[in-house]
Structures are given as C-alpha cells and as structure tokens.
Amino acid sequence: MSDILFGNNNRPIIRKLSNRYFKSNKSRNIIAIIAIALTAILFTTIFTLGSGLADTVQEQNIRKAGGDGQAVLNYISDDVYNDIASNSLIDKIAYTKAVSYRLKNEGLEKWRSDLWYMDDVALEFARYEPTTGHRPETENEIIADTRTLDALGVKAEIGETVSLKYEIKGKEYITDFVLCGFWETDSLSNIGRIIVSKSFIDSHSDILEYTFPDDNDYSGVVTAYIMFHGQGDIESKLNELLSETGYTSDTMGGSPEEENYIIARVSPAYQNSNLLENPTLLISGIVGILLIIVTGYLIIYNIFQISVIQDIQTYGQLKTLGTTKRQIKKMINRQAMKLSLIGVPIGMLMGFFLGRALVPFLMNGTIYTADAGITVTANPLIFIGAAVFAIFTVLISVRKPAKIAGTVSPIEAIRYTENDAAAFSGKKSMLKKSTHGAKIHRMALANLGRNRKRTVLVIVSMTLSLVLFNTVFTFSSGFDIDKYIAKFVNTDFVISTADYFQFRYETSSNDLSESFVESVKESNCFEAGGRLYTTRVLEEAFSAENNAFSNYNTDENGNPLVDLYGADDFLLKNMDVVEGTIDWQALKTGKYVLLNVECDDNGNMIDNPDVKVGDKIRFNHVGVNGLSSVTDNHFDLIVMAKVCVNENTATTRNTGTSRFYMPTENYLPLCTSPHLVSFPFNVKDGTDTQMKEFLDSYVKDIEPSMDFDCKETYVSSFKNLTSLIVTIGGALSIVIGFIGIVNFVNSVLTSIITRRKEFAMLQSIGMTGKQLRKLISFEGLYYSLGTIFASVVFGTLFSVIIVKGISDGIWFFTYHFVMWPMLVIYPCLIILTVLIPALLYKQISKTSIIERLRQN
C-alpha cells in the first residue's frame, strides 16, 4: 500500500511496528486471546450442538424405522421387486420377506418378535448383521437379537436349539431351528427379529405365496428399501423410478384401485425438514448467534479499547511522525488477526468437545434419547462456520477502537487522561463547579461519567447475564408437571394387555382379563376406576351414515367405519366437555352419544363444523367375515356433547378414526362380541409406589400377557426436559456473567492505569491511600447499583413481555413472575464490585508517588 504522494511501500514498516506492539503487550494479548477463544468456544459449541442433534436424530430415526434406505416399497410381490430392482436409478436395494408375524411362544407376550428373511443388503441396512456367529445358510439355521432370545429362554450361544411355534396363513407350525448367530438388541427397537435363511424361503415357497391383496396376510409379503445414486430430492427420484418401471403410488397421485398401484414412501429419516417451516427453530438459532456476537463484542471491544487508551500517547507520537489514520487502523487490525489466529483454533477445539459433551443433555430434552447413543462428527462446516463468525465478531469489535486510535490528534493524545469525550469526539469538555464539596462518593460518581460509553457497556454485559439467569429459572419453575403428565395419562394407572401397550390391539387375540381388574379393585390402594369396551375391526365394526366423517375403511355401502366405545362413568366423567353439556340421566337412556373431537395441546377444540350438538347420526352394525362385510343392524343416536379424551387412557391407542362414546350398559347390547380394552384407575394419595410394586409382581408372576402404564413413566421425561433448560441456560448465563465480570475488571484496571498520575497528584496534596481505595470501591459500587437497577427494569419487562409471550405457546407451561434468582445474586455482585477495584489498586500502589508522577 502506498500512503504518500511518491508511492513508497510502507507495508514492511507497518508490519514491523505491529509486531513490536504485539510483543510489548503480553498481558493484554493473553486477555484478548482468552476473550477471542471464549467467543470461538460459544460459536463452536452451538454449531456442534446443532450438527450433533441433526446427525443423531437422523441416525435414531433410521434405527426406529427399522433400517436404512431413502425410500421404502411396502407389501409388494416378488414380481414387483424384480421389475424395479435392476433400475439404473438405484444404488443399493434391500430385499426382505415376511415369514410370520404371529409367533406363539411363551415369553413373547410383552416383547413382540417376527420371523423374516433378509438378504445381505437388508441385514446391513437394518443393523442386524450378527456380531457373533454367521448369517443363516442352511434351512434350519437362524439368527436373532439377544432380547428375543432372552424372552424365549434361549441362551445367546452358537448351536443352541430354538423351537419356534408360528402361524402362516392361519395354519400353525412348530420348527426346531439352530442358532448360528446373534446381535445385541438395539435400545431404540420395540420389536425383535428372527431371521431365516434363503434355503428356508425356497423350500417353503408354497406356503409363502403372495396373497396379501386377497386376505391381508403378511406372510410372503416383500418389503424393499432403496438407496438412490447421487444427491437430490428423494421423492422426485422415487416417482421417476416408479414411472420408469410402470407403477404408481400416493406420491404420484395414484389410487389403490389401479392395478399398477403400490405403497411407496420416502423414509421418515430422509424427509427434508425445511428450516423456514420451523420458525421457532429458526428464531432460536438467530437469537443464539446474535447473543454470542453481542457477548463477544462486549468483551473484545473493551479489551482493544483499553489497549488503545493505554497506547494513546504512542499513537499520537506516530501521527506526529506522519503515520496515517489508515496505517494505524491496519496496525491494530493486524494485531487483532494475529490474536485471532491463536485464540480461534483454541476456542474451536475446546468448543467442539464442550458441544459434544452437551449433546446428550440436549437429546434428553427431546423425544429422542442419549442412552441410545449420539452421533457427533468433526464436520468441517462446524469449524468453518465457527471461525467465520468468531473472526467477524473480532473485526466488528476492533473497528471502533481502531477508529479512535486513527483519529486522535497528537496534542490530544499527549494530554489524554480518560475523558475521551473531548479527546475523540472533537467536542470541548465543560468544566462544572461543584456545590457539594469534594465528597468521595460524589467524586466516584463523577468519574464514571468520564467514559460513559464504557460504563454503559459494562453495566449492559452484567445486566445481560442477570436477565438471562432470571429467565432460565422463570422457565424451569413454570413448567407444570401436572399439565405435562395429564397430556399422556390423566389417571394414575392404566392396565390392559401387553399387546395393547405395543399398539397391537386389533391383531391381538387377548382381552384385558377380569381377574386382573378384580385384583386391582381389591387392593387397599385402589380408589376409583372404569372399564373401556369396543370391538375389533376384523370381527365386527360400526359405520356412520354421515359425510362429515371419513375413513379409508368403509362398509359395503361406502359408509366410513368409526370407533364406537362403551365406557364406565369414571371414564366418561374424566372427559373434557368442549361443546354442549352432558345430561347424565338422559345419556343413560341409550339415545345419545358423545363425539370425540381433536384438541390442540392447550385443550382448544379443533372443531368438525359439519357435525353439531343435537345432530342425529345413523350408525350401522357391520358383521365381518374375512374380507367381506355386511350391515346387519342400524340405530340412531343424538350427539349430546363434544368431548376431548385422553389418547392413552380412553382409546385403543390407534389414530385416524372418528370416535364416539356411550355408557357401557347401553353399548354392550349393540355388539356381538365386545372386548374389554383397558381399565384406567386412580389410587389413594401416597400409595402410587405400593400399587406399582403390586402390578409389577402381578404381570410378572401371575398373568404375563397383561401389562400396565403409570404416571411415573412420564415424570422422568419431564425432569429431563427441565434439567436441559437449567443446564444449557445456566451454562450460558455463567459464561455471559463471566464476560460481564471480565469487562468490569478491564474497565476498572484501565481506569486505574490511565489515572495513575492523577492518583499520585491527589496523594501528593493530602489524599490518603485509604481514601483512594474508598474512591474506586465507590466506583465499583455504582457499577453494581447501575446493574441492579437495569436488571430490575429490563428483567421485569423481558419476563412480562417476552418470556410470558413465549410461554403462552408452551402447553405445559404456567407463567409465574420470578425475581428471586437476581435477588440472590445481588449481594455477591455488590461484594465483587467493591472488592475487585480495591485489590487492583493495591497492585498499582506498590509504585511510589514520585515514580508515578514522573510517568507520561
């Protein structure tokens, strides 16, 4: 760069001066490197958390989906598979064939396991490759997961005999297999797998014929998992694949009535989630990044401003020698970049490991779990993003100090003490006469006004920490455990069959036993409960002659099937009435019905406007025989009220069907073979643990095919969520609080350094060292008082306006105005701000008054 008329190249001189100033300020450099590293830590941590969360969620979604594969073709035949498998769009395709979905062995009541064949690609995709032994080869060889073997009572040892009792197309078989391999059951899996060999499939091809369209039997059904070549939109690739091979699906607008229709979908693990479609996530990310930039700016700006003030006379001398404003700015920017080259890599390294350590806490606050393993890779984008934002923060932080150093005139620099309002703004300072005398506390207050901008920055940084700290506790104390649990279970316990809790009610052959119900009712802990009855769609069903309802399954006349329940008073009275009123006496006449409507998380009704309270609906009783059905009875019921029910206590835990409720005594005569679904109940206060122990013992020793659910299951997940808020928010509060304290220390230290000569002059005319310590302690006290005032004002406004506004959108949050966390911190803040200045002055005062008077 040429900075004079004749084009001299001054870069080497500027570089040399910059390097010398860099080496001469070792203590400043250390503090600056720490500040820059701290900023880089924050950025790297947030990017690592985001990347780790995204990778872990995708990995766990793959495992929950049963295996890898961008697209899935369900319920297809071998012919369809062969038509598609060789297409050039496919990189890998996995072949699986269902052998039996109905294993009859004892021990599998609470742990569902199915019998399948999977080729090598499918085993790889599903993570079912045996960790011990080898893949099945001969007809009688199998591999299985360890939990299934444990449920069957078989040791996980190669060569063990596994006798399986299973059903294929209504016929029962018993076969003795030999265990040739096994793998550890995935903690995310809720189903077991037993894998047979290709030889078994080939030798039993006659009974594994594809008959799904005729009898809905899964035996012989093929499922294919596909990975495509290259990048790009998976759904468009899936549509192109089906189009080229002559098939159609829902994604292409196809209909099940078409001969070439197949069920095809993109795997949930690979469905793109557009950030813009999730405003909460987008806003949270932006706010997090801005918060880090602000906190980084507060500390880095202050450090470089201190450096400029300390060297202001040197910069004035350089200006006298002809150094330009641009050259001085470049010197300071070079120093900043040199410090960044040291601090940013250190911060990124520490931030990555910190972020990796925090990912489990973040996972446990979601529907996912860290216990299933986390995936955090050293993605280059993490470090590139963190470095870019950290360096950007450094550059904007040094911009103003560099401008100050470049614009100061030589004369102003020589006589600078600390009143930069006159030195750097071009304005003349006004001398004011005091009417109160030289009182120390008033002198201290006046001293803070000598550099108002820095005073404000220090107060803002400490206030920011206190407000955030208070916000964290406001959130954590506002989460309502009763609201949270009531969303999942609105009674203390629910008992039913093991199949029910594994979402297999429709295919189960078991009902909740009356003996289990009576045992519960006889317990001293029992308070009140009620039975829930309904039918199974494969035996009998109900349909409604009303266009307001829809269902893929219909009766022979095209009327949609609906769920009609019979419920005891305990259940009916636990339902939330959202429209209309319930006349209990009239409801018992059997002429009325309650319509369940969907409600949002806050209990607000998502109405079906086509059905009104008072409407009469004709219901049909549908007799089912295999795939054929016939309407054999009908009756009219009047909608008495619309209610919102709990999904986990008053349903079969299946979704997608309209639900109606009526008293048990009116319901049972309408059915041919009603089934007892569940028995929700409450217990007496303080007896939850006792009842849980009783139920644990009962389902283990007396009726293994039964099971139960309770509130305790959801208490732990609630605690994980609140601990996440406290951990992440508390850590961020501590970091920002540390930055605020560092800013305070820097400000006090700068004030003392730049006023050393001033202090010496005051001492020379009679002020004692004790009075000086008192003076700067008062200055620190005013910092804390300013912070307390600002935090009370802004903390209150932020809590009432922002936090309350956010909390209104969280269904299990009950807002409470909280101030006690800040009140606890205030005494500590006052002590720190009074003691730190006195301790810093003690170090400076070791130099004699004469030496300080001689300093420039």
Side-chain angles (χ1 to χ4, degrees):
M1 177 188 70
S2 298
D3 285 295
I4 62 174
L5 180 63
F6 302 104
N8 288 353
N9 188 352
N10 296 316
R11 287 181 180 176
I13 300 300
I14 299 300
R15 188 181 300 114
K16 183 180 289 187
L17 281 172
S18 180
N19 289 339
R20 286 181 177 178
Y21 281 119
F22 181 84
K23 293 176 182 177
S24 66
N25 290 293
K26 291 182 180 178
S27 59
R28 187 283 313 270
N29 292 345
I30 292 172
I31 295 174
I33 288 171
I34 292 172
I36 294 169
L38 192 60
T39 304
I41 286 173
L42 291 172
F43 279 120
T44 311
T45 299
I46 197 170
F47 285 126
T48 304
L49 283 171
S51 175
L53 180 62
D55 290 345
T56 304
V57 165
Q58 183 179 49
E59 172 65 17
Q60 292 195 15
N61 279 338
I62 289 172
R63 290 158 60 187
K64 286 180 178 179
D68 211 341
Q70 296 168 330
V72 185
L73 309 180
N74 284 317
Y75 312 123
I76 63 174
S77 65
D78 283 298
D79 292 336
V80 174
Y81 175 85
N82 293 331
D83 289 340
I84 290 173
S86 59
N87 190 276
S88 60
L89 291 170
I90 296 175
D91 180 29
K92 287 183 178 181
I93 184 168
Y95 175 91
T96 69
K97 176 172 280 192
V99 177
S100 176
Y101 269 63
R102 296 183 177 180
L103 300 185
K104 305 292 187 177
N105 293 68
E106 291 185 7
L108 297 180
E109 297 88 354
K110 292 186 178 65
W111 176 247
R112 175 184 168 186
S113 192
D114 300 331
L115 198 59
W116 284 77
Y117 164 72
M118 295 184 173
D119 68 4
D120 291 346
V121 177
L123 291 176
E124 176 191 340
F125 279 8
R127 279 77 163 173
Y128 290 164
E129 295 171 300
T131 53
T132 302
H134 60 84
R135 298 172 183 178
E137 296 172 356
T138 62
E139 184 179 334
N140 68 331
E141 286 185 331
I142 59 167
I143 58 175
D145 66 285
T146 52
R147 185 169 175 182
T148 295
L149 294 175
D150 184 60
L152 290 169
V154 176
K155 291 182 180 178
E157 293 180 2
I158 303 300
E160 285 288 313
T161 299
V162 183
S163 182
L164 292 181
K165 183 189 297 184
Y166 53 96
E167 182 182 309
I168 297 178
K169 302 188 188 303
K171 187 176 179 181
E172 196 170 285
Y173 299 85
I174 299 177
T175 305
D176 289 336
F177 291 95
V178 175
L179 185 67
C180 67
F182 55 87
W183 69 93
E184 288 292 329
T185 308
D186 193 327
S187 60
L188 290 178
S189 179
N190 61 358
I191 189 171
R193 286 284 187 265
I194 302 173
I195 312 299
V196 300
S197 65
K198 182 67 165 57
S199 299
F200 180 91
I201 295 293
D202 292 340
S203 62
H204 294 80
S205 58
D206 55 334
I207 61 173
L208 291 176
E209 185 181 355
Y210 179 74
T211 59
F212 181 76
D214 302 319
D215 57 12
N216 279 344
D217 196 297
Y218 294 117
S219 298
V221 161
V222 173
T223 302
Y225 298 86
I226 298 170
M227 293 292 285
F228 292 103
H229 285 292
Q231 304 296 319
D233 182 59
I234 297 173
E235 184 170 319
S236 62
K237 288 185 177 182
L238 176 60
N239 292 343
E240 184 181 352
L241 170 67
L242 296 178
S243 178
E244 288 183 4
T245 52
Y247 294 96
T248 186
S249 69
D250 289 335
T251 60
M252 301 169 65
S255 170
E257 284 75 28
E258 299 178 60
E259 284 189 14
N260 62 342
Y261 173 86
I262 60 175
I263 299 174
R265 60 181 173 83
V266 176
S267 171
Y270 287 90
Q271 289 175 352
N272 293 326
S273 178
N274 191 342
L275 185 62
L276 297 177
E277 294 176 358
N278 191 337
T280 302
L281 185 62
L282 178 63
I283 292 171
S284 299
I286 293 173
V287 169
I289 291 174
L290 289 177
L291 186 62
I292 295 171
I293 290 175
V294 169
T295 53
Y297 171 83
L298 288 173
I299 187 169
I300 297 170
Y301 166 82
N302 213 20
I303 290 169
F304 277 92
Q305 187 192 42
I306 291 168
S307 176
V308 167
I309 290 170
Q310 287 177 319
D311 298 333
I312 198 68
Q313 294 181 355
T314 303
Y315 292 125
Q317 292 168 354
L318 287 174
K319 291 289 288 291
T320 304
L321 296 173
T323 309
T324 66
K325 170 183 175 182
R326 186 177 180 184
Q327 288 171 330
I328 290 177
K329 281 185 176 181
K330 190 169 184 180
M331 286 172 56
I332 294 174
N333 285 329
R334 281 182 60 85
Q335 293 177 49
M337 291 306 297
K338 208 165 188 177
L339 292 167
S340 297
L341 290 176
I342 300 172
V344 170
I346 293 173
M348 288 194 300
L349 186 65
M350 296 176 66
F352 175 75
F353 288 106
L354 178 61
R356 193 181 189 285
L358 289 176
V359 167
F361 292 99
L362 190 64
M363 294 300 303
N364 286 333
T366 68
I367 61 173
Y368 300 90
T369 172
D371 293 337
I374 61 170
T375 304
V376 183
T377 58
N379 190 331
L381 292 177
I382 295 174
F383 302 103
I384 292 172
V388 168
F389 277 100
I391 292 172
F392 170 75
T393 304
V394 171
L395 291 178
I396 63 171
S397 301
V398 302
R399 184 172 175 272
K400 186 65 181 292
K403 183 180 179 181
I404 291 173
T407 55
V408 65
S409 71
I411 301 302
E412 289 168 337
I414 293 298
R415 58 187 197 193
Y416 175 76
T417 56
E418 199 193 14
N419 189 4
D420 63 346
F424 303 137
S425 67
K427 297 178 182 179
K428 293 183 178 180
S429 59
M430 299 291 293
L431 295 174
K432 297 181 180 179
K433 294 182 179 180
S434 173
T435 59
H436 305 286
K439 294 181 179 179
I440 289 178
H441 66 278
R442 291 190 176 277
M443 289 174 64
L445 187 60
N447 284 336
L448 292 187
R450 297 167 71 175
N451 193 329
R452 294 184 182 91
K453 188 175 294 184
R454 189 172 65 214
T455 301
V456 169
L457 280 176
V458 173
I459 291 175
V460 166
S461 61
M462 292 195 293
T463 299
L464 184 64
S465 170
L466 287 173
V467 171
L468 180 60
F469 187 71
N470 194 72
T471 300
V472 169
F473 279 89
T474 301
F475 271 116
S476 62
S477 64
F479 288 127
D480 193 325
I481 189 170
D482 293 328
K483 284 185 179 179
Y484 182 86
I485 293 174
K487 173 73 175 178
F488 300 100
V489 285
N490 60 348
T491 60
D492 293 335
F493 291 87
V494 183
I495 60 172
S496 186
T497 64
D499 288 333
Y500 169 84
F501 292 109
Q502 295 184 42
F503 305 97
R504 294 190 296 176
Y505 168 78
E506 290 293 348
T507 58
S508 175
S509 57
N510 292 331
D511 286 351
L512 171 60
S513 67
E514 282 291 344
S515 57
F516 193 11
V517 174
E518 291 303 320
S519 296
V520 167
K521 292 176 70 175
E522 291 170 5
S523 169
N524 293 330
C525 305
F526 178 79
E527 184 176 70
R531 294 171 173 82
L532 179 70
Y533 291 90
T534 192
T535 58
R536 287 198 174 97
V537 72
L538 298 179
E539 299 173 353
E540 60 178 322
F542 293 94
S543 64
E545 296 183 17
N546 194 304
N547 295 329
F549 310 111
S550 61
N551 193 337
Y552 180 81
N553 296 312
T554 62
D555 62 18
E556 77 275 15
N557 298 316
N559 298 312
L561 299 188
V562 297
D563 285 340
L564 186 60
Y565 290 93
D568 288 352
D569 288 351
F570 174 82
L571 280 165
L572 294 174
K573 291 180 179 180
N574 263 347
M575 297 176 183
D576 296 323
V577 180
V578 292
E579 186 177 316
T581 57
I582 299 179
D583 182 335
W584 295 104
Q585 187 173 355
L587 186 64
K588 297 289 185 179
T589 63
K591 298 178 181 180
Y592 295 89
V593 72
L594 304 178
L595 169 62
N596 173 52
V597 292
E598 290 187 37
C599 296
D600 61 20
D601 289 330
N602 295 309
N604 300 315
M605 177 176 63
I606 303 173
D607 197 12
N608 184 343
D610 295 327
V611 181
K612 298 178 177 60
V613 172
D615 286 355
K616 182 180 289 187
I617 299 175
R618 169 153 292 189
F619 291 87
N620 300 310
H621 179 266
V622 181
V624 180
N625 182 15
L627 293 180
S628 63
S629 61
V630 61
T631 299
D632 52 24
N633 187 26
H634 62 80
F635 49 92
D636 296 329
L637 296 174
I638 300 171
V639 177
M640 176 176 283
K642 294 181 180 180
V643 296
C644 187
V645 305
N646 187 282
E647 293 282 341
N648 289 333
T649 56
T651 73
T652 58
R653 300 197 175 190
N654 293 321
T655 59
T657 305
S658 300
R659 303 187 184 111
F660 297 85
Y661 293 84
M662 59 193 307
T664 299
E665 57 269 30
N666 303 125
Y667 173 79
L668 294 179
L670 301 175
C671 307
T672 304
S673 55
H675 296 279
L676 177 56
V677 179
S678 62
F679 183 76
F681 65 94
N682 290 330
V683 294
K684 297 173 183 176
D685 291 342
T687 62
D688 299 69
T689 302
Q690 186 179 344
M691 175 57 76
K692 185 176 183 301
E693 291 174 353
F694 165 74
L695 295 176
D696 275 325
S697 174
Y698 188 94
V699 300
K700 180 181 179 181
D701 301 326
I702 301 176
E703 291 193 77
S705 61
M706 300 295 121
D707 210 346
F708 70 96
D709 196 4
C710 63
K711 285 184 176 180
E712 185 180 312
T713 306
Y714 305 97
V715 171
S716 60
S717 65
F718 177 84
K719 290 180 178 178
N720 285 335
L721 178 63
T722 53
S723 67
L724 169 72
I725 300 295
V726 174
T727 302
I728 303 294
L732 192 57
S733 301
I734 292 170
V735 170
I736 296 176
F738 175 74
I739 289 173
I741 295 299
V742 170
N743 270 337
F744 170 73
V745 172
N746 284 337
S747 297
V748 173
L749 183 59
T750 305
S751 177
I752 293 172
I753 290 172
T754 56
R755 293 156 60 196
R756 284 178 297 185
K757 191 171 182 178
E758 176 186 320
F759 288 160
M761 291 176 64
L762 289 172
Q763 285 183 290
S764 68
I765 60 174
M767 181 176 274
T768 65
K770 183 178 180 180
Q771 288 174 318
L772 275 176
R773 283 195 296 272
K774 189 175 180 181
L775 173 68
I776 58 177
S777 292
F778 263 114
E779 292 178 12
L781 178 62
Y782 288 136
Y783 272 117
S784 63
L785 292 177
T787 301
I788 290 171
F789 175 77
S791 61
V792 168
V793 173
F794 292 106
T796 301
L797 292 174
F798 190 82
S799 179
V800 172
I801 298 173
I802 305 298
V803 176
K804 189 175 186 303
I806 294 173
S807 67
D808 287 343
I810 304 176
W811 57 270
F812 57 96
F813 193 92
T814 301
Y815 175 77
H816 300 288
F817 179 73
V818 172
M819 284 291 289
W820 67 264
M822 291 197 296
L823 297 176
V824 171
I825 297 296
Y826 287 155
C828 300
L829 178 67
I830 292 172
I831 292 171
L832 282 175
T833 53
V834 170
L835 286 180
I836 288 174
L839 294 174
L840 292 174
Y841 172 76
K842 187 176 180 181
Q843 297 298 317
I844 301 295
S845 64
K846 291 179 181 179
T847 307
S848 68
I849 296 175
I850 302 299
E851 289 176 348
R852 280 181 275 158
L853 285 170
R854 287 175 177 172
Q855 291 176 344
N856 291 327

